Amino acid sequence: MIKEFPKDFWWGAATSGPQSEGRFNKQHANVFDYWYEIEPEAFYNQVGPDTASNFYNSFREDIQMMKEIGLNSVRTSIQWTRLIDDLEEGSLNEDGVRFYNDVINEFIKNDIKPIINLCHFDLPVELYHKYGGWESKHVVDLFVKFAEQSFTLFGDRIEDWFTFNEPMVIVDGEYLYQFHYPNIVDGKKAVQVAYNITLASAKAIARFKEINTNPAGRIGIILNLTPSYPATDSPADKAAAHFADLWSNGLFLDPSIKGSFNPELIDVLTKDGVLWESTTEELAIIEQNTIDVLGVNFYHPNRFQEPSISPNSLTVDWMPHKYYHHYDMPGRRMNVDKGWEIYPKALYDIAINIRDNYQNIPWFVSENGMGVSREERYLDDKGIIQDDYRIQFISEHLYWIHQGMEEGSNCFGYHLWTPIDCWSWKNAYRNRYGFISNNIHTQVKTIKKSGHWFKEVANNNKLELSDDIESNFL
Ligand code: FCB
């Protein structure tokens, strides 16, 4: 079976500044740099972000390899902690400006469209210690200064901007479920942080609209959208999945596209006494500054059943999961290394949801991928990782995106996480996701089988599904 994609489809991959560059020459520490300084044992094998994949030093060679595997677009992020010297004033760091100019020019020289994101979890830690980070509306305004500097410096060459990557991970990781520094558990703060980030995104969009002079310029947000499937058709399971969806998908998706929060979610947060503090003026900014384009990160679906305890008997303060309980569906397909369910058809459901409920906004898959540990298991005698599992994974996801596009969803691209194996937060280098492997001791990089395969797909705008791939999942 052959699936053809439009000529201008984005075939690419995504990374981020903090996960690829390394700390070289950086003026400020972000929350992860700092966490590693004070608690290296919190990271897999005690590997921190200091070197990452050495992109700061090897970006020219790395971009060359990205070109070699056929990528026509690549996302990375500008690090606030590298670009800005004085965080209050928003003054520029000379080497930061030089570096991002060089990177952007190198991408363009190699016919790769650079896609720039502004915040990939990497808040300067000083702003957390001084102001409580995203709990503070002053930090919102400092972020807008940084965003404005970026638009002014690079807007002549960057056409596609994104304000945040997966803001829900900041809420979950830092304020609810303790997987990112500062590991706080505080439902009320979590809700305020979600609101403040929404405001920061809208204010940055407002600034962009005022100063952008690039006719092709557009701006959006990247959200991890994870369909919420009920375990059964029972009303209680469906209600659980419905609230989980309002919270984990709707919280950022609704204001980003529709300009307002879902009234049902607001009712629950109000009734529970945790609603954010907002002003009429701020809500107007959110309403008037919606996104032009959406990035969707999708890795795995979520399934829900009714909570096993009554929502009101929860002894800790407010937590969203008082309304739902995760459900592990028997017989589900798993990526055992990462512990995530594999369910490619979810991308079709996302495509149709965006088409029908979110104005059929132009969107792309901004991350998708498969983290696999000890990939040296799959090295062949020529030293190439035979990652057929990744080819299968990407093929199936592309199949369902294509199906959604055939039915009218406005998807314009697919980016794998990630071009070159990079550093992944607490997991460091445990799971590898790239088209290109990276020996973290020598920084020698080698194209995997999937990289060679992707080049063919990208060059021909065509996905060929072999019979055995098809019979495995259709
Ligand atoms: C996503 C993050 C990205 C990377 C992948 C594996 O949630 O956006 O930074 O760590 O997971």
Side-chain angles (χ1 to χ4, degrees):
M1 184 196 298
I2 293 183
K3 296 281 171 194
E4 300 218 22
F5 286 78
K7 268 215 157 28
D8 51 358
F9 199 70
W10 286 7
W11 299 104
T15 185
S16 76
Q19 292 173 275
S20 62
E21 291 171 13
R23 272 185 83 172
F24 313 100
N25 269 338
K26 219 159 58 112
Q27 290 303 306
H28 302 276
N30 65 41
V31 276
F32 281 90
D33 297 329
Y34 176 76
W35 190 14
Y36 181 65
E37 279 171 23
I38 58 164
E39 205 188 336
E41 59 285 358
F43 297 80
Y44 182 73
N45 278 347
Q46 304 206 17
V47 174
D50 293 355
T51 308
S53 60
N54 196 37
F55 189 69
Y56 179 82
N57 298 306
S58 61
F59 69 93
R60 290 187 203 280
E61 295 82 353
D62 291 1
I63 291 174
Q64 203 54 51
M65 294 188 90
M66 295 179 202
K67 183 185 169 74
E68 228 173 289
I69 59 170
L71 309 186
N72 64 18
S73 47
V74 168
R75 167 168 62 111
T76 186
S77 67
I78 292 177
Q79 296 199 71
W80 189 351
T81 50
R82 185 185 292 292
L83 189 74
I84 301 297
D85 254 344
D86 184 321
L87 298 168
E88 298 290 332
E89 285 170 15
S91 62
L92 293 170
N93 178 275
E94 216 181 294
D95 186 63
V97 174
R98 191 257 333 140
F99 174 68
Y100 290 116
N101 267 322
D102 284 353
V103 166
I104 289 168
N105 293 341
E106 192 68 20
F107 274 124
I108 293 172
K109 197 171 102 194
N110 284 287
D111 294 322
I112 297 175
K113 186 182 179 60
I115 315 299
I116 294 293
N117 172 43
L118 293 173
C119 182
H120 203 119
F121 317 156
D122 54 336
L123 177 82
V125 74
E126 294 139 84
L127 300 184
Y128 176 68
H129 290 144
K130 243 172 140 176
Y131 302 114
W134 296 114
E135 295 160 41
S136 147
K137 290 183 186 170
H138 177 59
V139 170
V140 168
D141 292 328
L142 297 184
F143 172 75
V144 178
K145 285 190 185 173
F146 153 60
E148 176 173 354
Q149 290 284 34
S150 305
F151 302 145
T152 309
L153 285 164
F154 313 117
D156 57 332
R157 285 151 293 156
I158 297 301
E159 296 179 341
D160 293 272
W161 292 94
F162 290 90
T163 53
F164 284 84
N165 175 78
E166 299 189 349
M168 200 63 204
V169 169
I170 299 176
V171 175
D172 278 347
E174 299 184 22
Y175 289 92
L176 292 171
Y177 300 116
Q178 297 186 287
F179 55 89
H180 285 179
Y181 182 83
N183 293 303
I184 291 168
V185 184
D186 187 324
K188 176 124 177 81
K189 280 188 179 171
V191 170
Q192 188 67 49
V193 162
Y195 173 80
N196 289 355
I197 293 179
T198 302
L199 181 63
S201 180
K203 281 189 160 183
I205 293 174
R207 213 57 207 109
F208 177 77
K209 290 186 175 159
E210 280 158 20
I211 64 176
N212 171 53
T213 52
N214 187 333
R218 23 179 218 179
I219 189 160
I221 194 167
I222 289 171
L223 302 178
N224 44 324
L225 298 187
T226 303
S228 312
Y229 300 112
T232 70
D233 273 345
S234 78
D237 285 352
K238 281 173 140 174
H242 177 66
F243 181 79
D245 187 54
L246 278 180
W247 169 256
S248 39
N249 298 316
L251 184 56
F252 290 102
L253 191 56
D254 286 320
S256 297
I257 296 184
K258 298 178 177 165
S260 59
F261 296 93
N262 188 308
E264 217 185 315
L265 179 64
I266 292 193
D267 281 352
V268 175
L269 300 177
T270 308
K271 172 176 76 60
D272 287 351
V274 291
L275 189 70
W276 47 71
E277 281 169 27
S278 61
T279 66
T280 320
E281 194 199 354
E282 290 165 358
L283 292 171
I285 294 175
I286 292 172
E287 192 185 342
Q288 285 151 20
N289 294 286
T290 54
I291 56 172
D292 304 320
V293 59
L294 175 71
V296 173
N297 292 358
F298 170 73
Y299 289 89
H300 63 90
N302 275 335
R303 301 180 189 278
F304 296 99
Q305 57 195 355
E306 63 179 307
S308 43
I309 48 164
S310 131
N312 296 321
S313 66
L314 211 70
T315 49
V316 290
D317 284 344
W318 190 84
M319 290 294 250
H321 67 263
K322 70 184 200 160
Y323 293 108
Y324 55 78
H325 192 71
H326 277 273
Y327 170 67
D328 291 335
M329 186 177 72
R332 66 201 188 284
R333 256 173 90 190
M334 287 294 288
N335 166 6
V336 285
D337 288 334
K338 179 65 192 164
W340 279 342
E341 180 181 345
I342 299 178
Y343 186 64
K345 183 163 184 274
L347 265 179
Y348 169 80
D349 294 337
I350 290 173
I352 299 305
N353 183 34
I354 295 173
R355 186 195 69 186
D356 293 349
N357 302 314
Y358 290 94
Q359 305 167 5
N360 205 10
I361 195 168
W363 66 284
F364 79 117
V365 175
S366 39
E367 285 181 31
N368 175 234
M370 192 179 184
V372 173
S373 53
R374 294 177 292 113
E375 272 200 311
E376 60 284 358
R377 283 178 285 175
Y378 304 106
L379 273 175
D380 71 2
D381 51 11
K382 294 196 189 77
I384 294 177
I385 292 172
Q386 299 292 311
D387 53 345
D388 294 274
Y389 44 83
R390 184 167 288 111
I391 294 173
Q392 162 111 21
F393 183 96
I394 299 171
S395 299
E396 293 184 33
H397 285 82
L398 281 173
Y399 171 89
W400 285 111
I401 295 165
H402 191 271
Q403 194 62 33
M405 290 166 70
E406 286 211 313
E407 292 176 34
S409 191
N410 230 334
C411 176
F412 60 83
Y414 175 88
H415 280 189
L416 185 80
W417 182 268
T418 186
I420 300 173
D421 285 348
C422 69
W423 184 80
S424 260
W425 321 112
K426 276 189 83 164
N427 267 335
Y429 275 95
R430 188 164 77 93
N431 296 310
R432 305 303 182 95
Y433 293 83
F435 281 131
I436 297 167
S437 70
N438 182 19
N439 178 325
I440 63 167
H441 306 291
T442 60
Q443 293 290 334
V444 170
K445 293 157 183 165
T446 314
I447 298 173
K448 302 177 192 176
K449 182 175 178 181
S450 59
H452 294 290
W453 168 82
F454 197 70
K455 180 181 190 160
E456 293 303 307
V457 178
N459 285 349
N460 302 317
N461 285 313
K462 215 184 263 174
L463 171 73
E464 243 176 275
L465 294 166
S466 64
D467 292 346
D468 60 321
I469 286 190
E470 258 182 81
S471 62
N472 260 324
F473 78 98
L474 288 183

